[in-house]
Amino acid sequence: LLTPELVTQIEKQVVLVRRMRLAVCQLTEPSHWMDFGGKPYLLSGGIHTIASTIGVEFGSPDVARDEGTDEKGPYSRFVVRLTGTWRGRRISEIGSASSRDDLYKGKALGDVVGDIEKKALTNAQHRVLDKITGIGGVFFKSTTDHKALAAWYAKHLGLAIEDWGGAILKWP
Protein backbone atom coordinates (compact mmCIF):
# COMPACT_ATOMS: atom_id res chain seq x y z
CA LEU A 1 0.00 0.00 0.00
CA LEU A 2 1.31 3.42 -0.94
CA THR A 3 1.62 5.66 2.08
CA PRO A 4 3.07 9.12 2.68
CA GLU A 5 5.79 7.50 4.78
CA LEU A 6 6.76 5.17 1.92
CA VAL A 7 6.89 8.08 -0.52
CA THR A 8 9.12 10.01 1.90
CA GLN A 9 11.42 7.00 2.25
CA ILE A 10 11.65 6.61 -1.54
CA GLU A 11 12.41 10.33 -1.95
CA LYS A 12 15.27 10.01 0.54
CA GLN A 13 16.61 7.01 -1.38
CA VAL A 14 16.52 9.00 -4.64
CA VAL A 15 18.64 11.73 -3.03
CA LEU A 16 21.14 9.16 -1.76
CA VAL A 17 21.42 7.44 -5.16
CA ARG A 18 22.10 10.82 -6.81
CA ARG A 19 24.81 11.55 -4.26
CA MET A 20 26.29 8.08 -4.81
CA ARG A 21 26.38 8.59 -8.59
CA LEU A 22 28.23 11.86 -8.20
CA ALA A 23 30.63 10.34 -5.66
CA VAL A 24 31.58 7.43 -7.92
CA CYS A 25 32.10 9.84 -10.83
CA GLN A 26 34.60 11.66 -8.64
CA LEU A 27 36.48 8.42 -7.96
CA THR A 28 37.40 7.91 -11.59
CA GLU A 29 40.15 9.51 -13.63
CA PRO A 30 40.06 10.35 -17.35
CA SER A 31 42.34 7.35 -17.98
CA HIS A 32 39.58 5.09 -16.61
CA TRP A 33 37.40 5.90 -19.61
CA MET A 34 37.47 5.14 -23.31
CA ASP A 35 35.41 6.70 -26.08
CA PHE A 36 33.59 3.77 -27.63
CA GLY A 37 31.67 4.96 -30.66
CA GLY A 38 30.75 8.26 -29.03
CA LYS A 39 29.79 6.63 -25.74
CA PRO A 40 31.95 6.58 -22.62
CA TYR A 41 33.07 3.08 -21.64
CA LEU A 42 34.39 2.51 -18.11
CA LEU A 43 37.58 0.48 -18.28
CA SER A 44 38.63 -2.14 -15.75
CA GLY A 45 40.82 0.34 -13.84
CA GLY A 46 37.80 2.53 -13.15
CA ILE A 47 35.65 -0.44 -12.21
CA HIS A 48 38.26 -1.67 -9.73
CA THR A 49 38.77 1.82 -8.30
CA ILE A 50 35.05 2.18 -7.62
CA ALA A 51 34.60 -1.41 -6.42
CA SER A 52 37.54 -1.38 -4.02
CA THR A 53 36.64 2.04 -2.61
CA ILE A 54 33.03 1.19 -1.80
CA GLY A 55 33.63 -2.48 -0.93
CA VAL A 56 32.16 -4.40 -3.86
CA GLU A 57 33.73 -7.85 -4.10
CA PHE A 58 33.77 -9.91 -7.29
CA GLY A 59 33.77 -13.69 -7.20
CA SER A 60 35.77 -15.92 -9.51
CA PRO A 61 34.59 -15.55 -13.10
CA ASP A 62 33.25 -18.49 -15.06
CA VAL A 63 34.58 -17.99 -18.60
CA ALA A 64 33.23 -19.80 -21.66
CA ARG A 65 34.68 -19.43 -25.15
CA ASP A 66 32.88 -20.14 -28.38
CA GLU A 67 34.83 -20.10 -31.62
CA GLY A 68 34.20 -21.15 -35.13
CA THR A 69 33.92 -20.13 -38.73
CA ASP A 70 30.85 -19.05 -40.63
CA GLU A 71 30.06 -17.13 -43.82
CA LYS A 72 31.76 -14.04 -42.36
CA GLY A 73 34.93 -15.97 -41.47
CA PRO A 74 36.48 -17.04 -38.17
CA TYR A 75 35.14 -15.63 -34.92
CA SER A 76 35.69 -15.89 -31.19
CA ARG A 77 33.19 -15.03 -28.47
CA PHE A 78 33.63 -15.03 -24.71
CA VAL A 79 30.84 -15.15 -22.16
CA VAL A 80 31.71 -14.44 -18.52
CA ARG A 81 29.42 -15.23 -15.61
CA LEU A 82 30.32 -13.25 -12.50
CA THR A 83 28.91 -12.71 -9.04
CA GLY A 84 29.45 -9.64 -6.92
CA THR A 85 28.58 -8.83 -3.32
CA TRP A 86 28.07 -5.50 -1.60
CA ARG A 87 26.51 -4.74 1.77
CA GLY A 88 24.78 -8.10 1.94
CA ARG A 89 23.47 -7.97 -1.64
CA ARG A 90 24.57 -10.61 -4.11
CA ILE A 91 24.14 -10.18 -7.87
CA SER A 92 25.11 -12.49 -10.72
CA GLU A 93 25.56 -11.11 -14.22
CA ILE A 94 26.81 -12.09 -17.65
CA GLY A 95 29.22 -10.10 -19.80
CA SER A 96 30.18 -10.98 -23.34
CA ALA A 97 32.43 -9.81 -26.13
CA SER A 98 33.10 -11.02 -29.63
CA SER A 99 35.67 -10.60 -32.35
CA ARG A 100 32.73 -9.19 -34.34
CA ASP A 101 32.41 -6.20 -31.96
CA ASP A 102 33.25 -2.84 -33.58
CA LEU A 103 36.33 -2.51 -31.39
CA TYR A 104 37.98 -5.50 -33.11
CA LYS A 105 36.84 -5.03 -36.72
CA GLY A 106 39.69 -5.32 -39.17
CA LYS A 107 42.03 -6.94 -36.65
CA ALA A 108 43.45 -10.44 -36.90
CA LEU A 109 41.64 -12.82 -34.56
CA GLY A 110 44.89 -14.16 -33.12
CA ASP A 111 45.94 -10.65 -32.13
CA VAL A 112 42.82 -9.82 -30.11
CA VAL A 113 41.64 -13.02 -28.39
CA GLY A 114 43.05 -11.95 -25.01
CA ASP A 115 41.51 -8.50 -25.39
CA ILE A 116 38.13 -10.00 -26.21
CA GLU A 117 38.21 -12.14 -23.06
CA LYS A 118 39.23 -9.13 -20.95
CA LYS A 119 36.40 -7.03 -22.43
CA ALA A 120 33.88 -9.77 -21.63
CA LEU A 121 35.12 -9.80 -18.02
CA THR A 122 35.02 -5.99 -17.83
CA ASN A 123 31.47 -6.02 -19.23
CA ALA A 124 30.40 -8.51 -16.55
CA GLN A 125 32.08 -6.47 -13.79
CA HIS A 126 30.43 -3.30 -15.06
CA ARG A 127 27.00 -4.93 -15.11
CA VAL A 128 27.48 -6.30 -11.57
CA LEU A 129 28.67 -2.91 -10.28
CA ASP A 130 25.76 -1.10 -11.96
CA LYS A 131 23.10 -3.41 -10.60
CA ILE A 132 24.45 -4.11 -7.14
CA THR A 133 24.92 -0.43 -6.30
CA GLY A 134 22.06 0.99 -8.36
CA ILE A 135 24.37 3.48 -10.07
CA GLY A 136 24.13 2.15 -13.61
CA GLY A 137 22.88 3.96 -16.64
CA VAL A 138 24.34 7.32 -15.71
CA PHE A 139 27.02 7.87 -18.27
CA PHE A 140 25.90 8.88 -21.74
CA LYS A 141 26.21 11.82 -24.02
CA SER A 142 24.08 13.45 -26.67
CA THR A 143 25.11 14.11 -30.22
CA THR A 144 22.08 16.23 -31.02
CA ASP A 145 20.36 17.89 -28.06
CA HIS A 146 23.12 19.02 -25.69
CA LYS A 147 20.86 21.42 -23.79
CA ALA A 148 18.35 18.68 -22.95
CA LEU A 149 21.17 16.43 -21.78
CA ALA A 150 22.63 19.21 -19.60
CA ALA A 151 19.17 19.72 -18.08
CA TRP A 152 18.92 15.97 -17.39
CA TYR A 153 22.32 15.94 -15.67
CA ALA A 154 21.35 18.97 -13.58
CA LYS A 155 17.99 17.50 -12.56
CA HIS A 156 19.02 13.89 -11.90
CA LEU A 157 22.65 14.17 -10.83
CA GLY A 158 22.88 17.71 -9.56
CA LEU A 159 25.64 18.46 -12.08
CA ALA A 160 25.85 21.90 -13.64
CA ILE A 161 27.11 21.58 -17.21
CA GLU A 162 29.46 24.44 -18.05
CA ASP A 163 29.46 26.36 -21.36
CA TRP A 164 32.38 24.24 -22.57
CA GLY A 165 30.24 21.08 -22.34
CA GLY A 166 31.53 19.42 -19.16
CA ALA A 167 30.95 19.53 -15.43
CA ILE A 168 33.38 20.56 -12.73
CA LEU A 169 33.48 17.91 -10.02
CA LYS A 170 34.75 19.53 -6.84
CA TRP A 171 36.63 17.33 -4.42
CA PRO A 172 35.65 17.52 -0.76
Side-chain angles (χ1 to χ4, degrees):
L1 183 61
L2 192 60
T3 65
E5 293 80 19
L6 179 60
V7 171
T8 300
Q9 183 180 4
I10 292 169
E11 289 170 340
K12 288 178 181 178
Q13 290 295 317
V14 167
V15 170
L16 291 174
V17 168
R18 288 178 184 162
R19 288 179 59 203
M20 177 77 161
R21 288 176 176 166
L22 180 57
V24 297
C25 286
Q26 291 175 334
L27 289 172
T28 63
E29 302 288 336
S31 63
H32 292 150
W33 296 92
M34 177 179 124
D35 182 346
F36 187 66
K39 297 178 183 175
Y41 179 78
L42 185 61
L43 300 171
S44 62
I47 291 170
H48 288 287
T49 296
I50 294 168
S52 64
T53 301
I54 66 174
V56 172
E57 295 181 8
F58 297 113
S60 297
D62 177 21
V63 180
R65 180 179 181 189
D66 175 36
E67 57 186 349
T69 302
D70 62 14
E71 65 280 352
K72 295 180 182 178
Y75 66 88
S76 185
R77 180 173 188 253
F78 285 89
V79 176
V80 175
R81 290 175 180 16
L82 183 68
T83 300
T85 56
W86 183 59
R87 302 182 71 195
R89 293 185 68 200
R90 183 180 173 99
I91 299 285
S92 294
E93 266 301 331
I94 295 173
S96 64
S98 165
S99 57
R100 303 266 168 86
D101 294 347
D102 289 341
L103 186 62
Y104 307 111
K105 283 188 178 174
K107 297 181 180 177
L109 183 57
D111 295 339
V112 295
V113 169
D115 294 336
I116 297 167
E117 182 176 5
K118 184 176 178 184
K119 184 172 184 273
L121 176 59
T122 301
N123 289 343
Q125 291 169 333
H126 198 285
R127 292 173 62 94
V128 166
L129 189 63
D130 286 354
K131 287 191 178 172
I132 205 165
T133 62
I135 60 173
V138 175
F139 307 104
F140 60 89
K141 69 180 189 179
S142 169
T143 57
T144 56
D145 193 348
H146 301 292
K147 289 183 182 181
L149 179 62
W152 188 94
Y153 274 117
K155 178 180 177 184
H156 296 284
L157 299 179
L159 295 176
I161 305 300
E162 304 293 329
D163 292 339
W164 48 270
I168 298 172
L169 303 177
K170 296 181 180 166
W171 301 100

